[in-house]
Amino acid sequence: MKVAVMGAGAVGCYYGAMLARAGHEVMLIGRPSHVEAVRANGLRLETKTFDEQVKLGASTQADAVRGADLVLFCVKSTDTESAAAEIGPHLSPGALVLTLQNGVDNDERVRSMLPSSEVAAAVVYVATEMAGPGHVKHHGRGELVIAPSRSSEQVAQQLAAAGVPTQISGNVRGSLWAKLVLNCAYNALSAITQLPYGEVVKGHGVADVIGDVVAECLAVAKAEGVEIPGDTDAAVRGIAETMPTQYSSTAQDLSRGKPSEIEHLNGYVVRRGEALGVPTPANRVLLVLVKLLESKPQKAGA
């Protein structure tokens, strides 16, 4: 396949590099400093089992999606509409735009901007971070759950062959909500404390707070008519066990003085709770605290 990664952050770089290692032609679209490093030396993919410089293309321009069979759409949820509008004029007919983002409604938002394109949602379970320009570090997991589409079967096979466990699910909305519950439980707490998941859960009273957040999320999902698959409590416990050294994407954003996606995580649950008459006080507190930290001036040299 010819693959483009729109929004080449930690998630997009990981999956792009895995596909490039398997022989696919991959183009990363990202920030200038990252693009320059990749053009000069390739992308360093550091995992627990290998550490390689992966050769792939890199560009700062949205028109680099031209000719791609698959577009991994990995921008922040706050940039969904603007990024979709940027790539729209350059998409090839028949290209699959796969949304690998936090939140539960990004595929719908992309589809509204690209009504003539094939768009499918993906649920992402991976722990990654950018360790510097041109350097992505993988901490654990990496599987995808994707929605059915004309191209999903072929894409799933190619991803699996590239070492990315991928399944197709008719209930991706439920799986997106399952991931949202995990994000709401951990992201803000990791961001506020600037601690990885394994350390967060050791805090006195943290388990009770996480329990309150999860219960609110499940109540909102039920009111939405969403069926969340699997054992939610086991999945919540499993995050700290399988990704103990991972800092949430929200924590990484705050540490770099960047806006976070909290409005599309706990904030989304709060807004839907208000609309549906479901109280969400624990999620509201976490939302407000993260927003306060976002607005806090950065110290000199930070």
Short mmCIF file of all heavy atoms in Angstrom, two decimals, residues 98-132:
data_model
loop_
_atom_site.label_atom_id
_atom_site.label_comp_id
_atom_site.label_asym_id
_atom_site.label_seq_id
_atom_site.Cartn_x
_atom_site.Cartn_y
_atom_site.Cartn_z
N LEU A 98 -8.63 6.54 7.82
CA LEU A 98 -8.83 5.81 9.06
C LEU A 98 -8.49 6.73 10.22
O LEU A 98 -7.35 7.20 10.34
CB LEU A 98 -7.92 4.57 9.07
CG LEU A 98 -8.20 3.46 10.08
CD1 LEU A 98 -9.58 2.85 9.86
CD2 LEU A 98 -7.12 2.38 9.97
N THR A 99 -9.48 7.02 11.07
CA THR A 99 -9.26 7.97 12.17
C THR A 99 -8.71 7.25 13.39
O THR A 99 -9.39 6.44 14.00
CB THR A 99 -10.57 8.71 12.53
OG1 THR A 99 -11.57 7.75 12.91
CG2 THR A 99 -11.09 9.51 11.34
N LEU A 100 -7.45 7.56 13.73
CA LEU A 100 -6.77 6.97 14.89
C LEU A 100 -6.64 8.07 15.95
O LEU A 100 -5.55 8.60 16.17
CB LEU A 100 -5.40 6.44 14.51
CG LEU A 100 -5.31 5.06 13.84
CD1 LEU A 100 -5.92 5.09 12.45
CD2 LEU A 100 -3.86 4.60 13.75
N GLN A 101 -7.76 8.42 16.59
CA GLN A 101 -7.78 9.57 17.47
C GLN A 101 -8.50 9.24 18.78
O GLN A 101 -9.30 8.32 18.85
CB GLN A 101 -8.51 10.73 16.79
CG GLN A 101 -7.86 11.22 15.50
CD GLN A 101 -8.78 12.15 14.74
OE1 GLN A 101 -9.65 11.70 13.99
NE2 GLN A 101 -8.62 13.45 14.94
N ASN A 102 -8.20 10.05 19.79
CA ASN A 102 -8.96 9.98 21.03
C ASN A 102 -10.33 10.60 20.81
O ASN A 102 -10.51 11.48 19.98
CB ASN A 102 -8.24 10.70 22.15
CG ASN A 102 -7.05 9.94 22.67
OD1 ASN A 102 -7.06 8.71 22.72
ND2 ASN A 102 -6.01 10.64 23.08
N GLY A 103 -11.31 10.16 21.62
CA GLY A 103 -12.66 10.69 21.47
C GLY A 103 -13.54 9.72 20.69
O GLY A 103 -13.05 8.73 20.13
N VAL A 104 -14.84 9.99 20.66
CA VAL A 104 -15.77 9.03 20.07
C VAL A 104 -16.47 9.51 18.81
O VAL A 104 -17.20 8.75 18.19
CB VAL A 104 -16.85 8.61 21.11
CG1 VAL A 104 -16.22 7.92 22.29
CG2 VAL A 104 -17.67 9.80 21.55
N ASP A 105 -16.24 10.76 18.39
CA ASP A 105 -17.02 11.27 17.26
C ASP A 105 -16.16 11.83 16.13
O ASP A 105 -16.67 12.50 15.23
CB ASP A 105 -17.98 12.37 17.74
CG ASP A 105 -17.27 13.58 18.35
OD1 ASP A 105 -16.05 13.50 18.61
OD2 ASP A 105 -17.95 14.61 18.57
N ASN A 106 -14.85 11.53 16.14
CA ASN A 106 -13.98 12.10 15.12
C ASN A 106 -14.31 11.61 13.71
O ASN A 106 -14.22 12.36 12.75
CB ASN A 106 -12.51 11.82 15.45
CG ASN A 106 -11.99 12.74 16.54
OD1 ASN A 106 -11.89 13.94 16.35
ND2 ASN A 106 -11.67 12.17 17.69
N ASP A 107 -14.66 10.32 13.58
CA ASP A 107 -14.99 9.82 12.24
C ASP A 107 -16.20 10.55 11.67
O ASP A 107 -16.23 10.87 10.47
CB ASP A 107 -15.22 8.31 12.27
CG ASP A 107 -16.38 7.90 13.17
OD1 ASP A 107 -16.49 8.45 14.28
OD2 ASP A 107 -17.17 7.03 12.75
N GLU A 108 -17.20 10.85 12.51
CA GLU A 108 -18.37 11.59 12.05
C GLU A 108 -17.98 13.00 11.64
O GLU A 108 -18.48 13.53 10.63
CB GLU A 108 -19.42 11.64 13.16
CG GLU A 108 -19.96 10.26 13.54
CD GLU A 108 -20.81 10.31 14.80
OE1 GLU A 108 -20.83 11.36 15.47
OE2 GLU A 108 -21.45 9.29 15.11
N ARG A 109 -17.08 13.61 12.38
CA ARG A 109 -16.65 14.97 12.07
C ARG A 109 -15.84 15.00 10.78
O ARG A 109 -16.00 15.90 9.95
CB ARG A 109 -15.84 15.54 13.23
CG ARG A 109 -16.69 15.74 14.50
CD ARG A 109 -15.86 15.87 15.75
NE ARG A 109 -14.97 17.03 15.70
CZ ARG A 109 -13.91 17.19 16.48
NH1 ARG A 109 -13.58 16.22 17.35
NH2 ARG A 109 -13.17 18.27 16.39
N VAL A 110 -14.99 13.99 10.57
CA VAL A 110 -14.24 13.90 9.31
C VAL A 110 -15.19 13.66 8.15
O VAL A 110 -15.07 14.27 7.08
CB VAL A 110 -13.17 12.78 9.38
CG1 VAL A 110 -12.55 12.54 8.01
CG2 VAL A 110 -12.09 13.14 10.39
N ARG A 111 -16.14 12.76 8.35
CA ARG A 111 -17.10 12.43 7.29
C ARG A 111 -17.91 13.66 6.86
O ARG A 111 -18.23 13.82 5.68
CB ARG A 111 -18.02 11.30 7.76
CG ARG A 111 -18.58 10.44 6.65
CD ARG A 111 -19.30 9.23 7.20
NE ARG A 111 -18.38 8.18 7.62
CZ ARG A 111 -18.20 7.79 8.87
NH1 ARG A 111 -18.87 8.37 9.85
NH2 ARG A 111 -17.34 6.83 9.15
N SER A 112 -18.20 14.52 7.82
CA SER A 112 -18.96 15.74 7.49
C SER A 112 -18.15 16.68 6.61
O SER A 112 -18.71 17.45 5.82
CB SER A 112 -19.38 16.47 8.77
OG SER A 112 -18.27 17.09 9.40
N MET A 113 -16.83 16.60 6.72
CA MET A 113 -15.94 17.44 5.90
C MET A 113 -15.58 16.77 4.58
O MET A 113 -15.23 17.45 3.61
CB MET A 113 -14.65 17.75 6.67
CG MET A 113 -14.85 18.44 8.01
SD MET A 113 -15.64 20.04 7.88
CE MET A 113 -14.41 20.96 6.96
N LEU A 114 -15.64 15.43 4.55
CA LEU A 114 -15.24 14.66 3.36
C LEU A 114 -16.38 13.71 2.96
O LEU A 114 -16.23 12.49 3.01
CB LEU A 114 -13.97 13.86 3.67
CG LEU A 114 -12.76 14.63 4.17
CD1 LEU A 114 -11.64 13.67 4.59
CD2 LEU A 114 -12.25 15.60 3.10
N PRO A 115 -17.53 14.26 2.58
CA PRO A 115 -18.71 13.42 2.35
C PRO A 115 -18.57 12.41 1.23
O PRO A 115 -19.27 11.40 1.21
CB PRO A 115 -19.81 14.43 2.03
CG PRO A 115 -19.09 15.67 1.58
CD PRO A 115 -17.82 15.69 2.34
N SER A 116 -17.65 12.65 0.29
CA SER A 116 -17.49 11.72 -0.83
C SER A 116 -16.36 10.72 -0.61
O SER A 116 -16.07 9.90 -1.49
CB SER A 116 -17.24 12.49 -2.13
OG SER A 116 -16.06 13.27 -2.03
N SER A 117 -15.72 10.76 0.54
CA SER A 117 -14.59 9.87 0.82
C SER A 117 -15.01 8.74 1.75
O SER A 117 -15.99 8.83 2.48
CB SER A 117 -13.44 10.65 1.46
OG SER A 117 -12.95 11.64 0.57
N GLU A 118 -14.23 7.65 1.71
CA GLU A 118 -14.45 6.53 2.61
C GLU A 118 -13.72 6.81 3.92
O GLU A 118 -12.50 7.00 3.94
CB GLU A 118 -13.91 5.25 1.96
CG GLU A 118 -14.21 4.00 2.74
CD GLU A 118 -13.66 2.75 2.06
OE1 GLU A 118 -12.85 2.88 1.12
OE2 GLU A 118 -14.03 1.65 2.48
N VAL A 119 -14.49 6.86 5.00
CA VAL A 119 -13.95 7.18 6.31
C VAL A 119 -14.36 6.08 7.29
O VAL A 119 -15.52 5.66 7.31
CB VAL A 119 -14.46 8.54 6.83
CG1 VAL A 119 -13.87 8.86 8.21
CG2 VAL A 119 -14.15 9.65 5.84
N ALA A 120 -13.42 5.60 8.08
CA ALA A 120 -13.72 4.57 9.08
C ALA A 120 -13.00 4.91 10.38
O ALA A 120 -11.88 5.43 10.37
CB ALA A 120 -13.30 3.19 8.60
N ALA A 121 -13.66 4.63 11.48
CA ALA A 121 -13.07 4.87 12.79
C ALA A 121 -12.18 3.71 13.20
O ALA A 121 -12.44 2.56 12.84
CB ALA A 121 -14.17 5.07 13.84
N ALA A 122 -11.15 4.02 13.97
CA ALA A 122 -10.29 2.99 14.55
C ALA A 122 -10.13 3.28 16.04
O ALA A 122 -10.04 4.44 16.45
CB ALA A 122 -8.92 2.97 13.88
N VAL A 123 -10.11 2.23 16.83
CA VAL A 123 -9.82 2.35 18.26
C VAL A 123 -8.37 1.92 18.45
O VAL A 123 -7.97 0.84 18.01
CB VAL A 123 -10.76 1.45 19.09
CG1 VAL A 123 -10.63 1.81 20.57
CG2 VAL A 123 -12.20 1.60 18.64
N VAL A 124 -7.60 2.76 19.11
CA VAL A 124 -6.16 2.58 19.23
C VAL A 124 -5.79 2.21 20.66
O VAL A 124 -6.16 2.90 21.61
CB VAL A 124 -5.42 3.87 18.84
CG1 VAL A 124 -3.91 3.68 18.92
CG2 VAL A 124 -5.83 4.32 17.44
N TYR A 125 -5.06 1.12 20.81
CA TYR A 125 -4.55 0.72 22.12
C TYR A 125 -3.03 0.61 22.02
O TYR A 125 -2.49 -0.45 21.72
CB TYR A 125 -5.14 -0.63 22.54
CG TYR A 125 -6.65 -0.60 22.73
CD1 TYR A 125 -7.50 -1.02 21.74
CD2 TYR A 125 -7.19 -0.13 23.93
CE1 TYR A 125 -8.88 -1.00 21.92
CE2 TYR A 125 -8.57 -0.10 24.13
CZ TYR A 125 -9.41 -0.53 23.12
OH TYR A 125 -10.76 -0.49 23.31
N VAL A 126 -2.35 1.73 22.23
CA VAL A 126 -0.90 1.73 22.15
C VAL A 126 -0.34 2.76 23.11
O VAL A 126 -0.96 3.81 23.34
CB VAL A 126 -0.42 2.01 20.71
CG1 VAL A 126 -0.68 3.46 20.30
CG2 VAL A 126 1.06 1.66 20.53
N ALA A 127 0.82 2.48 23.67
CA ALA A 127 1.53 3.42 24.54
C ALA A 127 2.78 3.87 23.81
O ALA A 127 3.71 3.08 23.61
CB ALA A 127 1.89 2.75 25.86
N THR A 128 2.79 5.13 23.40
CA THR A 128 3.92 5.67 22.65
C THR A 128 4.20 7.10 23.12
O THR A 128 3.33 7.74 23.71
CB THR A 128 3.64 5.71 21.14
OG1 THR A 128 2.42 6.45 20.91
CG2 THR A 128 3.51 4.33 20.55
N GLU A 129 5.39 7.58 22.79
CA GLU A 129 5.70 8.99 23.03
C GLU A 129 6.76 9.43 22.04
O GLU A 129 7.56 8.62 21.55
CB GLU A 129 6.22 9.21 24.46
CG GLU A 129 7.57 8.57 24.74
CD GLU A 129 8.18 9.02 26.06
OE1 GLU A 129 8.12 10.23 26.35
OE2 GLU A 129 8.75 8.16 26.77
N MET A 130 6.76 10.73 21.73
CA MET A 130 7.84 11.29 20.93
C MET A 130 9.00 11.60 21.88
O MET A 130 8.85 12.39 22.82
CB MET A 130 7.39 12.57 20.22
CG MET A 130 6.31 12.35 19.17
SD MET A 130 6.71 11.09 17.92
CE MET A 130 8.22 11.74 17.20
N ALA A 131 10.13 10.95 21.67
CA ALA A 131 11.30 11.15 22.53
C ALA A 131 12.22 12.23 21.98
O ALA A 131 13.30 12.46 22.52
CB ALA A 131 12.05 9.83 22.69
N GLY A 132 11.80 12.88 20.90
CA GLY A 132 12.58 13.91 20.25
C GLY A 132 12.22 13.94 18.78
O GLY A 132 11.54 13.04 18.28
#
